Amino acid sequence: MSRAGAEPPPRVVIATLLRPEGGSGLQSHTRYLAQGLQDAGTRCSIQTAFTGSKLWYAAFAVRPLLLRRLNRNWSTWWFRHWHTAALRRNLARHL
């Protein structure tokens, strides 16, 4: 409980290109970090390329359906470019 005039608890935003759920160690670490911060009384949220509009899914779908089969380098570039664009948009809206 905060007293009148006391500062609000700090706010942390964790940003990642990956989905919040999944089997990678990075995804697990992100979830555990967010939960630990929340348990300590810090407001925390996770923002990903997937937390915004579902319209981004069309851009994301090109990579596994087409680019991965044609050229893995293009596939990696596509992933990084469009997931970063979506994450930036989501962060701008969140903040």
Side-chain angles (χ1 to χ4, degrees):
M1 294 179 139
S2 63
R3 297 176 305 202
E7 291 184 28
R11 177 178 167 204
V12 174
V13 178
I14 300 171
T16 177
L17 295 177
L18 300 176
R19 295 176 184 271
E21 299 296 325
S24 82
L26 182 58
Q27 291 164 314
S28 298
H29 178 75
T30 301
R31 287 191 313 275
Y32 289 131
L33 175 61
Q35 187 61 53
L37 288 167
Q38 290 170 356
D39 291 347
T42 301
R43 295 180 300 153
C44 180
S45 63
I46 300 173
Q47 291 296 307
T48 74
F50 298 91
T51 55
S53 171
K54 298 208 185 305
L55 295 175
W56 287 105
Y57 290 14
F60 300 161
V62 170
R63 187 178 72 91
L65 295 176
L66 180 63
L67 289 177
R68 185 179 290 164
R69 298 165 201 236
L70 294 176
N71 185 310
R72 286 201 174 271
N73 291 331
W74 294 350
S75 176
T76 300
W77 177 87
W78 188 273
F79 175 90
R80 289 178 180 167
H81 177 79
W82 290 110
H83 283 69
T84 300
L87 179 57
R88 283 183 180 162
R89 174 71 58 95
N90 296 340
L91 283 170
R93 287 183 177 173
H94 183 73
L95 300 174

